Each structure stands twice: as C-alpha cells, then as structure tokens.
Amino acid sequence: MTPQQQPISQPQRIDRYVGQYAERAVGMVASEIRALFAVAARPEIVSLAGGSPYVSALPLDVVGGMIGQLIASQGATALQYCTAQGDAGLRERICDVMALEQVRAHPDEVVVTVGSQQALDLMARIFIDPGDVVLVEAPSYVGALGAFASYQADMVHVAMDDDGLIPEALEEAIRRVAATGRRAKFLYTVPNFHNPAGVTLAAGRRHRILDICHRAGLLVVEDNPYGLLGFDGDPLRALRADDTDGVVYLGTFSKTFAAGVRVGWAVAPTAIREKLILAAESAVLCHSSFAQLTVREYLNTQPWREQVKDFRELYRERRDATLSALSGMMPSECHWTRPAGGFYVWLRLPDGINAKAMLPRAISSRVAYVPGTGFYADGSGTQYARLCYSLPDPDRINEGIRRLAAVIETEMQLRDDFGPAPVS
Ligand SMILES: Cc1ncc(COP(=O)(O)O)c(C=O)c1O
C-alpha cells in the first residue's frame, strides 16, 4: 500500500489495548446516564441534575479587569511554575477563610490542590492499597466514591439521617470492619449541607463522631465545599477546629468564587501534609500559578465576603422555591430533605419507583435529576433522586418540579397497574 492508500484513523470498534490496562483502570467506565445528561443540557430541559455554582452572579467584568491587571503587573510570576505546596500568599488568605469556621491553621499547614477533587485523589493515592476499607456516608458524594474506587478501595457505607452521620451506625461499621480483621483507612464525611443528602451533621453529634474516630484510631477526612453557604446564622464550627491531629480538612473556592479556577486546598497533620505535597508534585509538578494568583488577588482586592453573602441569598431563594414547589406538587408518597444551606435536596420516591428507570421518561418530559444509585458504592439508592437548585431560577425550578411531579404520578399509575419496575 502506498501511504496515500493507508486507511488512517479508521474508527476503532473495539479497544485494542483492552487486555493491557492496570486492574484499577478496568473499573473506570462512563456512567450509564452520561448520554442522558448530554441531552439534559438542552435549554428546553429544566436541569436539576448538575451541581454547578451560579457563577453568572459574579461581577464578571470586574473579575476580568482584575485578571488583566494581574497579568500586567505580576505576569512573570502568574505565568511561571511555583511550588507544589502552593503560593504562600494564597495559603495565608486560605487561613483567613477557614477562620470563619473556627479553624486555626498556619499557612505552612495548607496544601493547595486542583479543587477539592484533587485533594480526594491525593488522599486516596497516599492511603489506599487495593482492597483497603474506607468508610463513607450513605449516600456519598459521587466524585469521592469515584476517586476512592479508582484506587480499588472497598467502600463501606455508614447510615445518615436528617441530623447527618449516625454515631451508632459509625460505631457499628467500625466493629463490622474489625470483625473481618481489617481497619478502615479513613472516614470520609461532608458534615455541612451534604451532597447529595442535603443534611447537616447536628452540633450535638460532632464531638461524638470525633470521639468515636479518635478511640478507633480512625482518620477523618472532612470535605467542606459548602460550609460558607449556610442560610441561617454564622458558619458552623468545622470538625478540624476540634481535632487537628485526627482530621484532614478539604476546602475549595469552587462554590464561593468560581469552579472554573480549580483551586481548592487541604489542611492536614504534618506527616500527611508532607505526603500530600510529594503526591501532588508527582501528579502535576505544581498547580496553576495563574489560577492561584487569580484567587489570591480576588481575596485581596474584592469584597469576597459580600459576594459569598450574595451567593447565600441567591441559593436560599432557590432552596425556598424548591421546597415550596415540592410541598405544593409532589405526591404524598414522596419525601425529601430540607437543606439549611448548599445546593441539594434528596428526594425519596414512592415505593416501587426506580429513579434510574424513570430518568429517560423525565427527560422526555423535559426535566432532569441525578438518580440516587450514583451516590452508593453498593448499588443501592434506586428509590432516590438528587435535585440541585443552584442553577435554575425560581420560576424554572417551579416548572421543573411540576414536570417531575407529573412524571412520578404517571410512574405510580404504571406501578399500580403493572407492579413495581424491576430493579436493575
Ligand atoms: C462534596 C464535594 N466534594 C468535592 C467536590 C469537588 O469540588 P471541586 O473539585 O470543584 O473543589 C464537590 C463538587 O461538587 C462536592 O460536592
């Protein structure tokens, strides 16, 4: 064959490297509902699915001017490599942010990451060998489950209720794991305005959880992206504020400033912090100086506390719209959580209704949500759906919930006529 005749870039029907992947990559598969979400992004569909912040509420022209100014005045630094631990000035500002949750940290204790998602990955990288147990809430943030699964963790769920993680369930899970001769590497928890459950760990349970973990020698990973987005009163005291040796705190600017800058952080006991820095170095050398200086400049020059307050008000209005639409329109067999902050309501569908099976019908009715199964490592959660109210305005939320209620009613009718949907 001459070079011109060679069939280059023919689409491959099968993966020719299929037998060569590392074992941990075999389980990495696209979610079955990813294709549906591509459709859900269409404007005629009210999406209560994605967990994106409403960045349009930022003064984009001001932020743009600030970034132009940053490059003009500090471009040689902003466009250069930096250290893997992150910019020292930014780490100082991060300590100010955490002080709002009573965390007293020194900038040396902070490691900057690419969003808190990378901190989850780094924690998994330095702690998890294949088969190691990690305790996770039931349900749990899908990105954390994905990060831990990619290091082949064995995830054991711990039950929650309307007051967050249940201390007795945690004790029981620790006992159950010990009975198999193993010890969990850490407990992963989102104490405030949980994704996806929309609940908050009650003040009275916080010491109890720390105490149980301390006695069991169990490290706590406190993931707190929504901590400053509470609708009532001051920010809640972080777990890390009461236990600096036993808690790794993860924070992010994704929900309080901009998800697109991809800047988060971890605060960890010294030895863990050193490992995190080494792991970050081998993953990315250093994080984006440009992104870090953008955030530093934003915190130094812009009224960021007022902006967070504006975000809070905006999300409170959307939460209110969601709750009032749900109570006005959902069938009485549905139940849902009432978040005091953050982005999410966790909806329990009537018995015999499968949220994943219902999703294509919902999308045909022009409303989208995330089925609950994605938030469990063990395939449970079929009866649940996560509703996210951060992006649509109150009118769209109302319309979306009206459509969803109608879909659920049709499903109930089908269930009553033909029996429950098979659980897949
Ligand atoms: C609980 C939780 N943790 C971590 C993340 C990751 O956020 P980021 O990587 O943008 O900081 C999210 C994002 O939605 C989240 O909800």
Side-chain angles (χ1 to χ4, degrees), residues 51-53 113-120 140-144 188-190 192-196 223-226 250-255 258-260 262-265 343-344 386:
S52 304
T113 57
V114 182
S116 45
Q117 187 63 36
Q118 193 204 18
L120 291 167
S140 245
Y141 164 55
V142 61
Y188 169 72
T189 176
V190 179
N192 302 319
F193 322 127
H194 193 272
N195 177 9
D223 186 13
N224 193 23
Y226 307 96
L250 310 185
T252 179
F253 291 103
S254 286
K255 318 292 174 170
R262 308 303 301 128
V263 176
W265 70 91
F343 291 5
Y344 310 103
R386 188 192 74 178

Side-chain angles (χ1 to χ4, degrees), residues 6-79:
Q6 273 179 6
I8 43 168
S9 70
Q10 284 289 325
Q12 301 264 338
R13 287 210 178 278
I14 51 163
D15 180 355
R16 59 189 282 214
Y17 301 105
V18 73
Q20 295 173 47
Y21 291 114
E23 217 179 286
R24 64 183 166 278
V26 174
M28 294 177 184
V29 287
S31 138
E32 303 154 57
I33 55 174
R34 191 191 269 182
L36 284 175
F37 285 136
V39 181
R42 294 166 65 120
E44 62 272 29
I45 292 178
V46 177
S47 180
L48 303 169
S52 304
Y54 188 69
V55 287
S56 307
L58 288 166
L60 296 177
D61 49 345
V62 175
V63 174
M66 184 200 82
I67 290 173
Q69 185 63 33
L70 170 71
I71 294 299
S73 61
Q74 299 173 65
T77 313
L79 302 176

